[in-house]
Amino acid sequence: MDDVLTGLDPEQRAVAEAVRGPVCVLAGAGTGKTRAITHRIAYAVRSGVVDARSVLAVTFTTRAAGELRQRLRALGAPGVQARTFHAAALRQLTFFWPRVIGGAAPSVIESKLPILVEACRQIRKNPDRSELRDIAAEVEWAKVTQIGPEDYVAAAAKYHRTPPGPAEEVARLYEAYEQIRRERHLVDFETILELTAAVMTEHQEVAAQIRQQYRYFVVDEFQDVNPLQKLLLDTWLGGRDDLCVVGDPNQTIYSFTGASPRYLTGFAVEHPQAAVIKLVRDYRSTPQVVDLANLVIAKGKSPHRLELVAQRPEGPRPAFSDYDDEPAEAAGVARAIRKLIDKGVPSREIAVLFRVNSQSASYEEALAKAEIPYVLRGAERFFERPEVRQAVVLMRGAARSATGAPLASEVHNILSGVGLTPTPPGGGKAREKWESLKALADLAEDMASEGAELPAYVAELERRASEQHAPPIEGVTLASLHAAKGLEWDAVFLVGLTDGMLPIVYAETPEQIEEERRLLYVGITRAREHLSLSWALARAPGGRKSRRPSRFLDGLTGRTSAPPRIAPAARERRPVAAPMSCRVCAKTLVAAAEQKLGRCVTCPAEYDEALLERLKAWRTVAAKEAKVPPYVVFTDVTLQAIAERAPGTEQELLSIAGIGRVKMERYGEAVLSLCRAP
């Protein structure tokens, strides 16, 4: 038992030793809350306080639940049930449905959109997909707050909602959606929770059996619980109080979905005998990052905030930058990212975070121009992507007739058939598909180095799919601030920090403004070491510079107004380059690829084919050693230009477009050596 407590700090140990509820753990960002609660469960199990099979640990994502189970297995408590609210409720509802309702259990719908499309037809409305998603979100809010279609209009006004259309129209769509769903014997995620609570309330024998099974409850991210989830939790408890809740009032950012922080902040009122333990030692971020986070949250009006205490060594100060316009901001961020990568920070340990997803486009373009790989987070789940599903099906079939060939070789052969190429495509959907397949290939190589074969690899993929544990994809993460919650990176760039964007323009009430402040706090606390905050004074080049930095930044650099304007490199005056001419026909070159080649693509040119092949082989090795895609070393066009000109000196190599001092210092000697070889 004592082994379970080894390595915990005093507050984490207090959590682990508080084996009887009610317990409320107020855990700040980076303070090791998952470590504390898993050690608490393991300590309770190994000390005989509770049987592992009587524990239900509830969290909000499949991946978080999988991480809890994995940690608990390592701590000697493998029988604990760790599930999301929906997974736990669906399991119970499906089990008891034939007994208490009769017939087959209803089918679960993964998305409300198809039914909402039919509901729209009924009222002769034809919304686009974006509007449909907004309507679905509004229906979800109404359902989790236990508001029916007949009460929606009044509730929307009372709670200052901004419906995606007239409130009366949304109410009609909501009513039609519910009618279609019931007629087809379907349930959505909200109905699963509602029906499970109702079955337990109306059938005491069901409630008794569930409560006999689960006696010990732990709920993570309790600040994100909504009224419907709280109703189900109270029904599970049935008046008992062996409950431990964990949350951070500073990270309450989902009130717009119906989540309510009052269940966390009012826990000690609801349970007067509760032990309240605070975790404030931040092991994630440097003192400079922690200080900024504390300053941002201290300027708010919440009485329930936590002040973090940094545990890491000193690091660089957060950087504040303003730019003339949004493209300049994106280009400046891309340059700063390139500098970090050149200093050895892996691209997967860098994130660009923004308030709304529409802001990502300019950063996708800027990173693509800088030849920096990136990954969009918050889009389709990794294991639900068509190319991943196809690859997994093919590998599952191959595993049944495995030949014993090397794992990496087998997987590469399969992935090549569905689109994995030696070098990545330029960008867009093709690049996203390539990155997904490359992540599968990298996982195979990692497992192959440990002696695994194809059946074990497929089993690992299936485990990861069930827990939504995607393999790491090499590239800078682009994500919204909401999608970034729960994650962390070595370097974080918070962009677009202007009034009207953060706080967002439709945040009007004091409560909504405070939630926007907490959103900035969440973004800041994602950074371990490097943190950059930036904004643009105008939307487009040449536009009126009428924007002001976010009010949340006022006074954070020692001034009473906004942080000082730091002129980015984009504003430095540079000499205008002379037009480049084709070395064959003397025509002015416009396209970037032609400028790299130094000729029109249609003009003939001789080159050493053997040299080009040597250069490509060398690039593959260099990229693997640096753990970057090959095009980050040199693009195909650049290699073609090198093969055509066969430079013999550094100056000749530098004259090729796309080769600067950084690449010269890194790769120049190797490239010139290849060019001089016979």
Side-chain angles (χ1 to χ4, degrees):
M1 287 194 310
D2 291 340
D3 291 345
V4 177
L5 303 178
T6 301
L8 301 180
D9 69 28
E11 294 79 22
Q12 292 171 344
R13 184 175 180 124
V15 173
E17 292 180 327
V19 291
R20 284 296 185 188
V23 176
C24 178
V25 182
L26 299 176
T31 58
K33 68 178 178 67
T34 305
R35 178 180 176 85
I37 60 174
T38 51
H39 282 251
R40 177 183 184 268
I41 295 170
Y43 190 68
V45 169
R46 294 175 68 172
S47 62
V49 170
V50 64
D51 187 286
R53 294 167 294 182
S54 297
V55 180
L56 180 58
V58 186
T59 188
F60 279 79
T61 67
T62 303
R63 179 170 184 177
E67 183 182 353
L68 283 176
R69 288 194 295 270
Q70 188 173 356
R71 291 198 188 196
L72 287 166
R73 281 194 297 268
L75 290 170
V80 172
Q81 294 293 310
R83 300 182 181 278
T84 64
F85 272 104
H86 297 107
L90 180 60
R91 193 178 189 197
Q92 294 167 10
L93 185 65
T94 304
F95 180 82
F96 288 106
W97 187 278
R99 183 192 308 178
V100 298
I101 307 297
S107 300
V108 180
I109 58 173
E110 295 292 331
S111 169
K112 292 180 174 63
L113 297 189
I115 296 179
L116 279 173
V117 168
E118 294 190 42
C120 287
R121 291 197 192 107
Q122 290 184 8
I123 67 168
R124 298 183 180 181
K125 181 178 174 62
N126 187 30
D128 59 27
R129 192 167 184 84
S130 176
E131 189 178 357
L132 268 177
R133 285 196 293 267
D134 291 341
I135 295 169
E138 198 65 8
V139 169
E140 287 169 6
W141 170 80
K143 297 191 72 169
V144 302
T145 50
Q146 299 285 273
I147 295 167
E150 66 282 1
D151 299 320
Y152 172 76
V153 175
K158 177 182 177 181
Y159 293 106
H160 304 283
R161 302 294 293 181
T162 307
E168 294 79 6
E169 186 177 88
V170 174
R172 290 172 61 197
L173 286 171
Y174 179 12
E175 184 175 14
Y177 166 85
E178 287 289 86
Q179 182 179 349
I180 295 170
R181 182 189 60 74
R182 285 191 294 265
E183 287 174 353
R184 297 184 182 174
H185 198 48
L186 302 172
V187 291
D188 53 27
F189 289 141
E190 297 77 36
T191 307
I192 291 168
L193 306 190
E194 191 175 37
L195 286 177
T196 303
V199 166
M200 290 184 68
T201 301
E202 296 173 12
H203 300 273
Q204 289 303 308
E205 71 280 10
V206 173
Q209 188 170 340
I210 291 175
R211 290 169 187 159
Q212 177 69 24
Q213 170 71 49
Y214 297 116
R215 301 169 174 269
Y216 201 83
F217 293 83
V218 178
V219 184
D220 194 10
E221 303 288 3
F222 202 62
Q223 79 279 348
D224 293 334
V225 165
N226 62 47
L228 185 53
Q229 291 165 333
K230 181 62 162 57
L231 170 67
L232 178 60
L233 177 62
D234 289 343
T235 308
W236 280 337
L237 285 165
R240 299 169 295 173
D241 63 1
D242 230 338
L243 169 66
C244 173
V245 301
V246 189
D248 181 2
N250 291 355
Q251 297 190 67
T252 303
I253 60 172
Y254 291 110
S255 295
F256 67 95
T257 68
S260 176
R262 71 179 185 272
Y263 301 128
L264 175 65
T265 58
F267 189 84
V269 176
E270 184 180 0
H271 302 276
Q273 305 303 316
V276 179
I277 305 168
K278 295 183 179 180
L279 302 182
V280 295
R281 300 177 196 243
D282 187 314
Y283 297 97
R284 174 188 299 159
S285 305
T286 63
Q288 287 73 17
V289 173
V290 169
D291 287 348
L292 181 60
N294 284 336
L295 283 170
V296 166
I297 211 68
K299 289 177 174 290
K301 299 176 182 178
S302 171
H304 302 289
R305 55 180 176 263
L306 295 172
E307 184 172 348
L308 300 174
V309 180
Q311 305 296 302
R312 286 190 58 181
E314 298 287 322
R317 294 178 61 185
F320 295 88
S321 305
D322 70 355
Y323 295 86
D324 286 341
D325 50 66
E326 290 180 2
E329 183 181 10
V333 168
R335 284 194 300 274
I337 289 173
R338 169 56 65 197
K339 288 180 181 178
L340 287 174
I341 293 174
D342 289 344
K343 289 179 180 178
V345 179
S347 60
R348 66 178 177 276
E349 288 294 348
I350 303 173
V352 178
L353 307 182
F354 31 76
R355 176 60 179 85
V356 296
N357 286 321
S358 60
Q359 291 173 277
S360 74
S362 57
Y363 293 91
E364 294 176 51
E365 182 179 354
L367 291 173
K369 284 183 178 178
E371 298 184 342
I372 298 171
Y374 63 86
V375 180
L376 282 171
R377 186 173 181 85
E380 199 171 21
R381 288 181 176 180
F382 181 82
F383 284 101
E384 293 173 3
R385 297 174 185 176
E387 65 273 12
V388 174
R389 294 172 65 179
Q390 181 185 10
V392 171
V393 168
L394 291 172
M395 283 187 269
R396 190 180 293 128
R400 287 195 288 267
S401 56
T403 61
L407 171 59
S409 175
E410 284 197 86
V411 170
H412 272 279
N413 286 339
I414 293 170
L415 295 178
S416 296
V418 294
L420 182 64
T421 56
T423 57
K429 290 292 183 182
R431 177 57 187 266
E432 289 182 28
K433 175 180 177 180
W434 188 91
E435 292 286 1
S436 298
L437 298 177
K438 182 66 164 56
L440 293 175
D442 290 345
L443 178 61
E445 290 184 4
D446 291 342
M447 292 186 65
S449 66
E450 299 172 0
E453 295 183 350
L454 188 58
Y457 172 72
V458 170
E460 174 66 9
L461 287 180
E462 291 174 344
R463 182 191 70 79
R464 285 172 175 256
S466 68
E467 298 177 357
Q468 290 300 329
H469 181 194
I473 297 177
E474 191 61 48
V476 173
T477 298
L478 300 180
S480 71
L481 287 163
H482 283 100
K485 185 172 177 292
L487 304 174
E488 58 187 79
W489 295 269
D490 286 345
V492 170
F493 291 80
L494 304 179
V495 300
L497 301 181
T498 58
D499 255 19
M501 187 58 73
L502 192 72
I504 198 77
V505 66
Y506 52 76
E508 299 173 347
T509 67
E511 293 80 10
Q512 290 170 337
I513 296 294
E514 284 305 298
E515 182 143 332
E516 294 289 299
R517 179 184 296 279
R518 292 191 294 269
L519 197 55
L520 176 59
Y521 172 88
V522 167
I524 291 170
T525 55
R526 301 309 94 198
R528 299 191 190 102
E529 183 174 359
H530 305 280
L531 177 64
S532 173
L533 302 93
S534 63
W535 56 94
L537 302 176
R539 185 183 67 81
R544 183 165 168 261
K545 300 174 185 177
S546 57
R547 293 175 173 177
R548 70 177 297 269
S550 169
R551 68 192 73 170
F552 302 144
L553 301 180
D554 285 354
L556 296 186
T557 59
R559 299 188 180 187
T560 56
S561 59
R565 293 176 58 178
I566 299 174
R571 296 192 203 159
E572 295 175 359
R573 293 186 176 274
R574 297 179 182 178
V576 178
M580 183 178 289
S581 301
C582 173
R583 65 176 189 270
V584 179
C585 70
K587 179 182 176 182
T588 299
L589 301 176
V590 177
E594 291 182 331
Q595 290 179 350
K596 279 192 176 185
L597 289 172
R599 62 173 175 82
C600 302
V601 292
T602 54
C603 286
E606 295 182 357
Y607 66 93
D608 186 339
E609 292 185 8
L611 173 57
L612 181 59
E613 290 305 313
R614 290 199 303 273
L615 288 167
K616 287 183 176 180
W618 162 81
R619 181 183 63 174
T620 299
V621 174
K624 191 168 185 179
E625 288 177 351
K627 296 183 178 179
V628 297
Y631 74 87
V632 173
V633 178
F634 284 126
T635 64
D636 286 347
V637 173
T638 302
L639 291 187
Q640 176 84 18
I642 295 171
E644 288 183 11
R645 302 189 198 182
T649 66
E650 288 189 1
Q651 197 58 40
E652 290 175 354
L653 186 56
L654 281 169
S655 69
I656 297 174
I659 300 180
R661 285 291 175 188
V662 172
K663 290 199 174 184
M664 170 61 73
E665 291 173 4
R666 187 174 298 171
Y667 306 123
E669 185 177 344
V671 170
L672 290 173
S673 176
L674 289 169
C675 292
R676 293 168 185 150

Coordinates of all heavy atoms in Angstrom, one line a residue, residues 285-329:
S285 N 4.4 24.0 -16.3 CA 4.9 25.3 -16.9 C 6.0 26.0 -16.1 O 6.1 25.8 -14.9 CB 3.7 26.2 -17.1 OG 2.7 25.7 -17.8
T286 N 6.8 26.8 -16.8 CA 7.8 27.6 -16.2 C 7.2 28.7 -15.3 O 6.1 29.0 -15.5 CB 8.7 28.2 -17.2 OG1 7.9 29.1 -18.0 CG2 9.4 27.2 -18.1
P287 N 8.0 29.2 -14.3 CA 7.5 30.3 -13.5 C 7.0 31.5 -14.4 O 6.0 32.1 -14.0 CB 8.7 30.7 -12.7 CG 9.5 29.5 -12.6 CD 9.3 28.8 -13.9
Q288 N 7.6 31.8 -15.5 CA 7.2 32.9 -16.3 C 5.8 32.7 -16.9 O 4.9 33.6 -16.9 CB 8.2 33.1 -17.5 CG 9.5 33.7 -17.0 CD 10.4 32.7 -16.3 OE1 10.2 31.5 -16.3 NE2 11.4 33.3 -15.6
V289 N 5.5 31.4 -17.3 CA 4.2 31.1 -17.9 C 3.1 31.1 -16.7 O 2.0 31.7 -16.9 CB 4.2 29.7 -18.6 CG1 2.8 29.3 -19.0 CG2 5.1 29.8 -19.8
V290 N 3.5 30.5 -15.6 CA 2.6 30.5 -14.5 C 2.3 31.9 -14.0 O 1.1 32.2 -13.6 CB 3.2 29.6 -13.3 CG1 2.4 29.7 -12.0 CG2 3.2 28.1 -13.8
D291 N 3.2 32.7 -13.9 CA 3.0 34.1 -13.4 C 2.0 34.8 -14.3 O 1.1 35.5 -13.8 CB 4.3 34.9 -13.4 CG 5.2 34.5 -12.2 OD1 4.7 33.7 -11.3 OD2 6.4 34.9 -12.2
L292 N 2.1 34.7 -15.6 CA 1.2 35.3 -16.5 C -0.2 34.7 -16.4 O -1.2 35.5 -16.3 CB 1.7 35.1 -18.0 CG 0.8 35.8 -19.0 CD1 0.7 37.3 -18.8 CD2 1.3 35.5 -20.4
A293 N -0.3 33.4 -16.2 CA -1.6 32.8 -16.0 C -2.3 33.3 -14.7 O -3.5 33.7 -14.7 CB -1.5 31.3 -15.9
N294 N -1.5 33.4 -13.7 CA -2.0 33.9 -12.4 C -2.5 35.4 -12.5 O -3.5 35.8 -12.0 CB -1.0 33.8 -11.3 CG -0.8 32.4 -10.8 OD1 -1.7 31.6 -10.9 ND2 0.3 32.1 -10.2
L295 N -1.7 36.2 -13.3 CA -2.1 37.6 -13.5 C -3.4 37.7 -14.2 O -4.3 38.6 -13.9 CB -1.0 38.4 -14.2 CG 0.2 38.7 -13.4 CD1 1.3 39.2 -14.3 CD2 -0.1 39.8 -12.3
V296 N -3.6 36.9 -15.3 CA -4.8 37.0 -16.1 C -6.0 36.6 -15.3 O -7.0 37.3 -15.3 CB -4.7 36.0 -17.3 CG1 -6.0 35.8 -18.0 CG2 -3.7 36.6 -18.3
I297 N -5.9 35.5 -14.5 CA -7.1 35.1 -13.7 C -7.3 36.0 -12.5 O -8.5 36.2 -12.1 CB -6.9 33.6 -13.3 CG1 -8.3 32.9 -13.2 CG2 -6.2 33.5 -12.0 CD1 -9.0 32.7 -14.6
A298 N -6.3 36.6 -12.0 CA -6.5 37.5 -10.8 C -7.2 38.7 -11.1 O -7.9 39.3 -10.3 CB -5.1 37.8 -10.2
K299 N -7.2 39.2 -12.4 CA -7.9 40.4 -12.8 C -9.4 40.1 -13.0 O -10.2 41.0 -13.3 CB -7.3 40.9 -14.1 CG -5.9 41.6 -13.9 CD -5.3 42.0 -15.2 CE -4.0 42.8 -15.0 NZ -4.3 44.1 -14.4
G300 N -9.8 38.8 -12.9 CA -11.2 38.5 -13.1 C -12.0 38.7 -11.8 O -11.4 39.1 -10.8
K301 N -13.3 38.4 -11.8 CA -14.1 38.6 -10.7 C -14.6 37.4 -10.0 O -15.4 37.5 -9.1 CB -15.4 39.4 -11.2 CG -15.0 40.7 -11.9 CD -16.3 41.4 -12.5 CE -15.9 42.7 -13.1 NZ -17.1 43.4 -13.8
S302 N -14.0 36.2 -10.4 CA -14.5 35.0 -9.7 C -13.9 34.9 -8.3 O -12.7 35.1 -8.1 CB -14.0 33.8 -10.6 OG -14.3 32.6 -9.8
P303 N -14.7 34.5 -7.3 CA -14.2 34.3 -6.0 C -13.6 32.9 -5.8 O -13.1 32.6 -4.7 CB -15.4 34.5 -5.1 CG -16.5 34.0 -6.0 CD -16.2 34.4 -7.4
H304 N -13.6 32.1 -6.8 CA -13.2 30.7 -6.6 C -11.9 30.3 -7.3 O -11.6 29.2 -7.6 CB -14.3 29.7 -7.2 CG -15.7 30.0 -6.5 ND1 -15.9 29.6 -5.2 CD2 -16.8 30.5 -7.0 CE1 -17.2 29.9 -4.9 NE2 -17.7 30.5 -5.9
R305 N -11.1 31.3 -7.7 CA -9.9 31.0 -8.5 C -8.8 30.4 -7.6 O -8.8 30.6 -6.4 CB -9.4 32.3 -9.1 CG -9.1 33.4 -8.1 CD -8.6 34.7 -8.9 NE -8.4 35.8 -8.0 CZ -9.3 36.7 -7.8 NH1 -10.4 36.7 -8.4 NH2 -9.1 37.7 -6.9
L306 N -8.0 29.6 -8.3 CA -6.8 29.0 -7.7 C -5.5 29.8 -8.2 O -5.4 30.1 -9.3 CB -6.7 27.5 -8.1 CG -7.8 26.6 -7.6 CD1 -7.6 25.2 -8.3 CD2 -7.8 26.5 -6.1
E307 N -4.6 30.0 -7.3 CA -3.3 30.6 -7.7 C -2.2 29.5 -7.7 O -2.0 28.9 -6.7 CB -2.9 31.7 -6.7 CG -1.6 32.4 -7.1 CD -1.3 33.6 -6.3 OE1 -2.2 34.1 -5.5 OE2 -0.2 34.1 -6.4
L308 N -1.7 29.3 -8.9 CA -0.7 28.3 -9.1 C 0.7 28.7 -8.6 O 1.1 29.8 -8.5 CB -0.6 28.0 -10.6 CG -1.8 27.5 -11.3 CD1 -1.6 27.3 -12.8 CD2 -2.3 26.2 -10.7
V309 N 1.5 27.6 -8.2 CA 2.8 27.8 -7.7 C 3.7 27.0 -8.6 O 3.7 25.8 -8.6 CB 3.0 27.4 -6.2 CG1 4.4 27.6 -5.8 CG2 2.0 28.2 -5.3
A310 N 4.6 27.6 -9.4 CA 5.4 26.9 -10.3 C 6.5 26.1 -9.7 O 7.1 26.5 -8.7 CB 6.1 27.9 -11.3
Q311 N 6.7 24.9 -10.2 CA 7.7 24.0 -9.7 C 8.9 23.8 -10.6 O 9.9 23.1 -10.3 CB 7.1 22.6 -9.4 CG 5.9 22.7 -8.5 CD 6.2 23.2 -7.1 OE1 7.0 22.6 -6.4 NE2 5.6 24.3 -6.7
R312 N 8.8 24.3 -11.9 CA 9.9 24.1 -12.8 C 10.9 25.2 -12.8 O 10.7 26.2 -12.2 CB 9.3 24.1 -14.3 CG 8.5 22.8 -14.6 CD 8.2 22.8 -16.1 NE 9.4 22.9 -16.9 CZ 9.3 22.9 -18.2 NH1 8.2 22.8 -18.9 NH2 10.5 23.0 -18.9
P313 N 12.1 24.9 -13.3 CA 13.1 26.0 -13.4 C 12.7 27.2 -14.3 O 11.7 27.1 -15.0 CB 14.3 25.3 -14.0 CG 14.0 23.8 -13.9 CD 12.6 23.7 -13.9
E314 N 13.4 28.3 -14.2 CA 13.1 29.5 -14.9 C 13.1 29.2 -16.4 O 13.8 28.3 -16.9 CB 14.1 30.6 -14.6 CG 14.1 31.0 -13.1 CD 12.9 31.8 -12.8 OE1 12.5 32.7 -13.6 OE2 12.4 31.7 -11.7
G315 N 12.4 30.0 -17.2 CA 12.3 29.8 -18.6 C 12.3 31.2 -19.3 O 12.3 32.2 -18.6
P316 N 12.1 31.3 -20.6 CA 12.0 32.6 -21.3 C 10.7 33.3 -20.9 O 9.7 32.7 -20.6 CB 12.0 32.2 -22.8 CG 11.5 30.7 -22.8 CD 12.0 30.1 -21.5
R317 N 10.7 34.6 -21.0 CA 9.6 35.4 -20.7 C 8.6 35.3 -21.9 O 9.0 35.1 -23.1 CB 9.9 36.9 -20.6 CG 10.8 37.2 -19.3 CD 11.1 38.6 -19.3 NE 10.0 39.5 -19.2 CZ 10.0 40.8 -19.2 NH1 11.2 41.4 -19.4 NH2 8.9 41.5 -19.1
P318 N 7.3 35.3 -21.6 CA 6.3 35.3 -22.7 C 6.5 36.5 -23.6 O 6.9 37.6 -23.2 CB 4.9 35.4 -22.0 CG 5.2 34.8 -20.6 CD 6.6 35.2 -20.3
A319 N 6.3 36.3 -24.9 CA 6.5 37.3 -25.9 C 5.2 37.9 -26.3 O 4.2 37.2 -26.6 CB 7.3 36.8 -27.1
F320 N 5.1 39.2 -26.4 CA 3.9 39.9 -26.9 C 4.3 40.6 -28.2 O 5.2 41.4 -28.3 CB 3.5 41.0 -25.9 CG 3.0 40.4 -24.5 CD1 3.9 40.2 -23.5 CD2 1.7 40.1 -24.3 CE1 3.5 39.6 -22.3 CE2 1.3 39.5 -23.1 CZ 2.2 39.3 -22.1
S321 N 3.5 40.4 -29.2 CA 3.8 41.0 -30.5 C 2.5 41.5 -31.2 O 1.5 40.9 -31.1 CB 4.4 39.9 -31.5 OG 5.6 39.4 -30.9
D322 N 2.6 42.6 -31.9 CA 1.5 43.1 -32.7 C 2.0 43.2 -34.2 O 3.2 43.2 -34.4 CB 0.9 44.4 -32.2 CG 1.8 45.6 -32.4 OD1 3.0 45.4 -32.9 OD2 1.4 46.7 -32.2
Y323 N 1.0 43.1 -35.1 CA 1.3 43.1 -36.5 C 0.3 44.0 -37.2 O -0.8 44.3 -36.7 CB 1.2 41.6 -37.1 CG 2.2 40.7 -36.5 CD1 1.9 40.0 -35.3 CD2 3.4 40.4 -37.2 CE1 2.9 39.1 -34.8 CE2 4.3 39.5 -36.6 CZ 4.1 38.9 -35.4 OH 5.0 38.0 -34.9
D324 N 0.7 44.4 -38.4 CA -0.1 45.3 -39.2 C -1.4 44.6 -39.6 O -2.5 45.3 -39.7 CB 0.6 45.8 -40.4 CG 1.7 46.8 -40.1 OD1 1.6 47.4 -39.0 OD2 2.6 47.0 -40.9
D325 N -1.4 43.4 -40.0 CA -2.6 42.7 -40.5 C -2.5 41.2 -40.2 O -1.4 40.7 -39.8 CB -2.8 43.0 -42.0 CG -1.5 42.7 -42.8 OD1 -1.1 41.5 -42.8 OD2 -0.9 43.7 -43.3
E326 N -3.5 40.5 -40.5 CA -3.6 39.0 -40.2 C -2.6 38.2 -41.0 O -1.9 37.3 -40.4 CB -5.0 38.5 -40.4 CG -6.0 39.0 -39.3 CD -7.4 38.5 -39.5 OE1 -7.6 37.7 -40.5 OE2 -8.3 38.9 -38.7
P327 N -2.4 38.4 -42.3 CA -1.4 37.7 -43.0 C 0.0 37.9 -42.4 O 0.8 37.0 -42.3 CB -1.5 38.2 -44.4 CG -2.9 38.6 -44.6 CD -3.3 39.2 -43.2
A328 N 0.3 39.2 -42.0 CA 1.6 39.4 -41.4 C 1.8 38.7 -40.1 O 2.8 38.2 -39.8 CB 1.8 40.9 -41.2
E329 N 0.7 38.6 -39.3 CA 0.7 37.9 -38.0 C 1.0 36.4 -38.3 O 1.9 35.8 -37.6 CB -0.6 38.1 -37.3 CG -0.6 37.4 -35.9 CD -1.9 37.5 -35.2 OE1 -2.9 38.0 -35.8 OE2 -1.9 37.1 -34.0

